[in-house]
Amino acid sequence: MLKKIYGSAIFGVSAQTITVEVNIDQGVGYHLVGLPDSAIKESNFRIQSALKNQGFKIPGKKITINMAPADLQKEGSAYDLTIAIGILSASEQIHNDQLEEYVMMGELSLDGSLRPIKGALPITIEAKNQGFKRIILPKQNADEAAVVQGIEVYGVTNILQVIQFLNHDIELEPHHFDLTHHHLNELNQYKYCFSDVKGQENVKRAMEIAAAGGHNIILIGPPGSGKTMLAKRISTILPPMTIDEALETTKIHSVAGKLGSKSLVLQRPFISPHHTISDVALVGGGSYPQPGEISLSHNGVLFLDELPEFKRSVLEVMRQPLEDREVTISRAKFTVTYPSSFMLVASMNPSPSGFFPDDPQNTSTLAEMQRYMNKISGPLLDRIDLHIEVTPVPFDDLSQSRNGEKSDVIRARVIQARAKQTQRFENQTIHYNSQMGPKELDRYCVLDEGSKKLIKTAMDRLNLSARAYDRILRVARTIADLDESEPILSKHIGEAIQYRSLDRN
């Protein structure tokens, strides 16, 4: 007897429906075809043990299983449940004439219990789009899948539950997810706050501008000046994620298996990889491509502490994602694309010793300092809008008992500035000021004669590079938005100019 059961395969952050065809005929043998990987080929042993421990068995006949489309590589152990139900249905141990309405995925333990799988959210989205009415998944994935409206999600703990449910021996209630409750609970739950930072008012101002316009920022200062402390708090002043952003971010974390106990990512990610990270770990890849750290930071912050300590090749692979806001990984038979629209926050010391120009022992020569700075290429530096010098906090500021502005207060101003940008770019593909191209700069960054003269003077006297011009305009546009000013004034240009310190010769 031939039966068809439906599962799903993950490619990038999307899914594709897989038809598992099971045919049982006279003879002996077990044949699994359709480009399965080793984990799927081993499913026979897991399925056999799981069914035996639940009082069922694989018939001693010729079993042929085809995973269609047959020219598409399948990988992972999540097809265990799909194949097992197909075998039971084809051997008439399950009687259900509505199996075409279900998508089923889950990894089986030897005792028949189900383990969680990766990519439950994109699998459920694809199932709904393909017209399936129900999906059966491990209980641990039920919350994540139930975010999708319009499809019944059943979370189960073992294969016996699935069999009894399909045979109408028991009733299962569809799982529901209260998005409003989770959103309210997770909103504003941050460990850090800008009120913890004493002094550094100029750096806080720069980080507010970076958050308001989505600008990349680099902090340059000696050890102990507070660079890491400030960077860890920037996500607390970013606007809350929209539902669309939350779903898109959750899909990436789900595919990577990084969701943990969360069902939906509602806070903007803050990813801080170690400087020994490899190219593939940062941008993604592998034989079966997985998203890297820059995709996991999508809609959030990627923090690179001690930027010059990262390998040159690692830093260079970030240039294309910073520009295109996506990562494309090509293999011989397929290509996957991961979104990577993140805000880059980097930090570095001004010299190998870390204390230039206030190095009491003069431990770094000029040549050593030049080599240290040259670890960051011009094209990468060109994609960072704000260069901020962080100086040690004076004792008087450290000893004061009063706290600075709370993150909530700063975030309110950032949200207001972002609202202006949302309205400005309403019918365009960009969302905030840092993404403006030449056409948008000409349209939204019109300068008066005084502002033009100020930029010209700065470029001549401070030896600013030509590439700094567009960056200054983008930052000035954000400063004007924070100031609730439609025209860009000379004071906005003047403040933007001071944030280009690394462009000075």
Side-chain angles (χ1 to χ4, degrees):
M1 180 179 288
L2 174 66
K3 286 290 182 178
K4 295 183 179 180
I5 309 295
Y6 297 94
S8 196
I10 299 293
F11 293 95
V13 292
S14 301
Q16 180 172 337
T17 300
I18 300 296
T19 303
V20 177
E21 302 172 320
V22 181
N23 186 64
I24 297 180
D25 207 345
Q26 295 297 324
V28 178
Y30 184 92
H31 307 284
L32 180 59
V33 297
L35 288 184
D37 72 345
S38 298
I40 301 176
K41 291 176 182 177
E42 294 169 351
S43 65
N44 176 37
F45 303 104
R46 293 190 295 273
I47 293 170
Q48 189 170 8
S49 176
L51 293 180
K52 183 177 180 180
N53 285 320
Q54 295 296 335
F56 298 88
K57 63 179 182 179
I58 294 180
K61 297 183 178 182
K62 182 179 179 181
I63 301 174
T64 305
I65 302 169
N66 177 44
M67 305 181 75
D71 61 344
L72 198 66
Q73 183 75 44
K74 292 86 179 177
E75 59 97 13
S77 55
Y79 297 97
D80 289 359
L81 180 62
T82 322
I83 295 171
I85 296 300
I87 292 172
L88 293 174
S89 180
S91 61
E92 299 184 332
Q93 297 179 72
I94 287 180
H95 304 277
N96 191 306
D97 57 1
Q98 296 180 323
L99 290 178
E100 70 278 359
E101 298 180 356
Y102 289 86
V103 168
M104 305 180 199
M105 295 291 284
E107 178 187 339
L108 282 172
S109 297
L110 297 184
D111 62 357
S113 60
L114 286 169
R115 297 179 183 272
I117 64 171
K118 296 179 181 180
L121 180 58
I123 286 172
T124 309
I125 292 174
E126 177 65 13
K128 178 193 172 184
N129 293 339
Q130 292 298 320
F132 291 96
K133 296 180 180 179
R134 304 173 184 88
I135 183 168
I136 297 176
L137 295 167
K139 193 174 184 63
Q140 297 95 319
N141 298 116
D143 268 348
E144 175 189 345
V147 171
V148 183
Q149 302 295 313
I151 185 171
E152 294 180 4
V153 176
Y154 295 94
V156 294
T157 56
N158 57 63
I159 193 171
L160 180 60
Q161 268 187 301
V162 182
I163 296 168
Q164 291 175 336
F165 173 63
L166 293 176
N167 280 333
H168 307 292
D169 295 330
I170 63 171
E171 292 289 333
L172 293 178
E173 290 295 324
H175 194 83
H176 296 285
F177 178 77
D178 187 353
L179 180 59
T180 304
H181 173 74
H182 281 74
H183 193 270
L184 291 175
N185 281 350
E186 292 199 22
L187 193 63
N188 301 333
Q189 288 186 1
Y190 290 102
K191 288 172 56 179
Y192 306 110
C193 181
F194 263 98
S195 62
D196 303 331
V197 183
K198 295 184 178 180
Q200 304 291 19
E201 300 303 324
N202 62 320
V203 185
K204 293 179 188 177
R205 167 66 175 174
M207 301 192 89
E208 179 181 340
I209 294 169
H215 301 286
N216 301 321
I217 182 173
I218 184 169
L219 307 175
I220 310 107
S225 57
K227 302 186 298 294
T228 303
M229 184 179 187
L230 286 157
K232 286 183 176 179
R233 283 155 177 77
I234 196 166
S235 57
T236 67
I237 63 173
L238 291 172
M241 285 204 291
T242 64
I243 295 302
D244 288 341
E245 286 178 327
L247 287 171
E248 193 174 36
T249 306
T250 304
K251 284 169 66 175
I252 300 170
H253 285 248
S254 175
V255 168
K258 303 287 187 180
L259 272 183
S261 60
K262 292 182 178 179
S263 52
L264 190 64
V265 178
L266 292 170
Q267 291 185 354
R268 294 190 181 273
F270 182 88
I271 305 296
S272 180
H274 193 262
H275 63 262
T276 57
I277 191 171
S278 66
D279 309 15
V280 172
L282 186 68
V283 299
S287 301
Y288 298 104
Q290 291 288 306
E293 296 290 83
I294 61 174
S295 293
L296 292 173
S297 61
H298 180 62
N299 289 323
V301 175
L302 177 68
F303 176 47
L304 301 183
D305 200 6
E306 303 300 339
L307 189 66
E309 301 301 326
F310 286 80
K311 290 186 292 186
R312 182 69 176 254
S313 60
V314 171
L315 296 179
E316 293 307 302
V317 295
M318 283 201 307
R319 285 161 52 180
Q320 181 259 337
L322 280 170
E323 198 72 26
D324 299 339
R325 304 194 299 279
E326 64 180 20
V327 176
T328 301
I329 300 170
S330 298
R331 293 292 178 264
K333 295 184 178 180
F334 59 90
T335 299
V336 296
T337 299
Y338 297 111
S340 60
S341 180
F342 59 91
M343 179 179 168
L344 175 64
V345 179
S347 72
M348 62 178 289
N349 295 327
S351 67
S353 68
F355 295 100
F356 178 82
D358 301 318
D359 188 349
Q361 298 180 357
N362 194 27
T363 54
S364 299
T365 66
L366 187 61
E368 288 173 337
M369 286 185 286
Q370 191 63 48
R371 282 197 298 270
Y372 184 77
M373 295 298 294
N374 285 343
K375 289 184 178 180
I376 308 172
S377 68
L380 177 62
L381 199 61
D382 187 36
R383 289 162 172 81
I384 301 177
D385 293 347
L386 291 93
H387 312 154
I388 310 302
E389 296 178 13
V390 184
T391 56
V393 182
F395 173 78
D396 290 342
D397 289 342
L398 284 174
S399 59
Q400 286 181 354
S401 58
R402 67 177 182 86
N403 292 327
E405 274 188 317
K406 290 187 175 182
S407 293
D408 293 347
V409 178
I410 302 173
R411 182 168 54 200
R413 296 195 294 266
V414 170
I415 291 173
Q416 190 172 6
R418 283 281 184 104
K420 293 176 71 72
Q421 296 167 51
T422 300
Q423 184 178 5
R424 179 181 299 134
F425 306 126
E426 186 175 6
N427 297 317
Q428 302 181 45
T429 56
I430 62 177
H431 304 289
Y432 30 84
N433 291 335
S434 66
Q435 299 172 342
M436 286 193 294
K439 291 182 180 179
E440 290 80 19
L441 289 173
D442 291 341
R443 182 176 178 182
Y444 301 116
C445 299
V446 179
L447 303 181
D448 57 25
E449 289 303 319
S451 298
K452 289 180 180 178
K453 185 177 180 181
L454 182 59
I455 284 191
K456 184 179 185 303
T457 302
M459 295 186 73
D460 292 341
R461 292 186 180 181
L462 300 178
N463 293 320
L464 294 176
S465 64
R467 68 182 179 230
Y469 178 74
D470 286 353
R471 305 290 168 180
I472 290 173
L473 290 183
R474 292 188 182 99
V475 174
R477 177 67 270 169
T478 301
I479 296 171
D481 289 342
L482 284 168
D483 205 21
E484 299 185 26
S485 171
E486 189 56 37
I488 297 177
L489 306 178
S490 297
K491 64 177 182 179
H492 304 142
I493 292 292
E495 184 175 359
I497 289 171
Q498 70 174 349
Y499 299 136
R500 298 298 301 179
S501 60
L502 291 185
D503 281 324
R504 301 172 190 172
N505 291 336

